[in-house]
Each structure stands twice: as structure tokens, then as C-alpha cells.
Amino acid sequence: MIQGSLVALVTPMLASGEVDFSCLERLLDWYVEQGSNGIVAVGTTGESSTLDEQEHCEVIRRCVEHLDGRLPLIAGTGANSTREAIALTRCARQVGADACLLVTPYYNKPTQEGLYRHYRAIAEAVDMPQILYNVPGRTACDMLPETVGRLAPIENIIGIKEATGDLNRVTRLRELCGSDFALFSGDDASSREFLLLGGDGVISVTANVAPRQMSQMVAAAIASCGTEAEALDAPLAELHQRLFIEANPIPVKWALAEMGLIPEGIRLPLTWLSEDARPTVREALLAAGLV
């Protein structure tokens, strides 16, 4: 089972908006060195919604090739079209990704039955490990634990990234899905509590800028060392909040640029972090000892 601190990777871009593949490779090396447990490429934080299909597949391919087995690579392949999600998932399998992450279909608001059939269709079409992704704050679609429970017996659906921040769901999902079904937090602010309740890992925005600290905190929480995990999490608390002061990944890309790790590039309709918000994010980086 993939577990631990997984970096919800940004997609570095030049000022022109083109993907900066050299920078991408440097970031991957850094996360390996810093002790991260895995990489999640071209998810929400990776600006998947503004990459075309060719770019999407190329980022996955480059990540797989450069990591060369040093860390597991989970590819974001979700879409609000079942056919498109199948096509992206096939691409991820072809280039060697270890698993895929499939966000609930956004904008079109499917029913719980529609969600079940969507994910079942992808699982039946592509034989690779698949992780569900529930983030209703962005998709306007909430996949209920009971629907996840219906999907869990499908052999290649191996887990869920639960990003509601509702800690009551951890116990319910474990009851419905069993001990072998991976539960990942998708909410940095509540991830420590999520893990102490029995979660298996976190797919983290904060881990982009504080990979070692997140890896240490997550390891302590998974080991049920609550006091140690709390102490490790405390310096990151402001980051967990302030990296969402504007829409993700705007603040985290600015923070990485401030740390000298990526160029100042983002793709419309997202824009660079506003001047007024920069002191707030900088204070959080200082509190964590990152600048």
C-alpha cells in the first residue's frame, strides 16, 4: 500500500505559461532527497484543468522516467467526462504510473448512482490501481461514504483522497471499506487528526514547500505518536491555512518561487499571487523556518 506524505506536485511553468520540464526534474530530485513518500502529478495543484491532454500525458511520462522507481508516482487522471478520464488513465498506465487519482466529475453534478457507474466504468476499462478523490469544495459534487463503500470491492480501486475536512468520515469510510482500503487526507489543516484516526497518508499541498517536515509529521501520526506529531505540525499550521488564501495552486507556486525553487509561471485563468496576500504567505514560510 502506498502511504505517508505524498506531494501534490505543482507543474512548474515559465512566465510564458509553458511547462518547465527542467525545473520539474529538479523538484522531483528535491522531494526524493527530503524524504517524501510519493508524488501526485497533474492533480488540482498541478493545474490539470488547464493542461491539454498531450501536456498532461507528457508531464506524467517525464515524472515516471525521472523518478525511475525512487518514489511511487500517482497520476491525476480525473475528468468530468467518463470517456476523457478513461483516456487519461490509459495514458498513465502506458507510461508507467504506479496508480491514478480520479477526481469526482466537476460542474455536471452527477448523482451518487452516476458516480458509482463513472468509477466502475474507469476501473473496468483500465487495469491499474485507482484512487478516488472527493473534494466537493472545488467540484460541487460530494461522493458519500456509502458510495465509496459500494466501489471499494472493485479490485483495482484501492483507496480515496478525502478532502472534505470532515473527520467523522474517517471512521465511517474504514467501517464501509475495510482495513485494506487506503484513506488519504486531502486537507492539510486536518491531516494530523485524520492520520491519528487511522488514515494511511496525506496528499499534501504543504509538502511542496515543507517536504521533510510533512514527512516527519505524517510518520509520527501514522505511528500513533500524537504528541510528537502535534509538535511537528505546529510550525506548519499557518502554512496549512495560508497556502489557500487564494485558489490553490496560486499561493503555493508563489511560495516555491519565493524559495527560489520554481520560476514565476502560472496559466490563465489563474494569476500570480496578489501583492496584498504576499506578506501573509511569507509570514507562514518564516514561521515554518523555510525562508
Side-chain angles (χ1 to χ4, degrees), residues 57-77:
C57 292
E58 182 65 6
V59 170
I60 297 169
R61 185 184 70 80
R62 294 285 192 104
C63 287
V64 170
E65 288 187 357
H66 192 72
L67 285 170
D68 193 25
R70 291 178 293 167
L71 288 177
L73 189 284
I74 300 170
T77 60

Side-chain angles (χ1 to χ4, degrees), residues 9-188:
L9 184 69
V10 303
T11 300
M13 295 176 181
L14 303 170
S16 63
E18 296 304 306
V19 177
D20 187 339
F21 286 106
S22 295
C23 183
L24 178 70
E25 292 177 356
R26 291 194 299 271
L27 276 183
L28 293 172
D29 289 337
W30 188 55
Y31 296 132
V32 172
E33 293 163 5
Q34 292 289 303
S36 297
N37 302 115
I39 302 294
V40 178
V42 286
T44 303
T45 311
E47 294 176 78
S48 58
S49 58
T50 57
L51 297 178
D52 63 37
E53 187 171 327
Q54 182 178 350
E55 290 173 316
H56 196 118
C57 292
E58 182 65 6
V59 170
I60 297 169
R61 185 184 70 80
R62 294 285 192 104
C63 287
V64 170
E65 288 187 357
H66 192 72
L67 285 170
D68 193 25
R70 291 178 293 167
L71 288 177
L73 189 284
I74 300 170
T77 60
N80 63 347
S81 158
T82 305
R83 288 186 178 187
E84 182 180 353
I86 289 171
L88 290 171
T89 304
R90 282 178 174 152
C91 169
R93 183 180 186 277
Q94 288 167 0
V95 300
D98 295 285
C100 63
L101 179 70
L102 292 146
V103 71
T104 52
Y106 45 87
Y107 186 75
N108 43 18
K109 296 186 178 181
T111 64
Q112 296 301 305
E113 181 64 23
L115 289 170
Y116 172 76
R117 294 187 188 187
H118 169 80
Y119 283 113
R120 186 183 66 184
I122 301 167
E124 290 174 349
V126 189
D127 183 17
M128 73 179 299
Q130 301 180 16
I131 300 168
L132 314 175
Y133 177 16
N134 188 41
V135 57
R138 294 196 73 125
T139 63
C141 173
D142 186 5
M143 182 163 53
L144 300 179
E146 290 71 22
T147 303
V148 181
R150 290 180 68 194
L151 290 163
I154 298 173
E155 186 175 1
N156 55 330
I157 295 180
I158 65 166
I160 184 170
K161 175 185 177 183
E162 175 58 51
T164 60
D166 180 359
L167 293 171
N168 292 320
R169 293 201 175 190
V170 183
T171 302
R172 182 63 175 150
L173 285 166
R174 185 60 77 206
E175 290 172 349
L176 290 166
C177 302
S179 59
D180 293 334
F181 193 78
L183 302 181
F184 298 103
S185 171
D187 177 63
D188 279 309

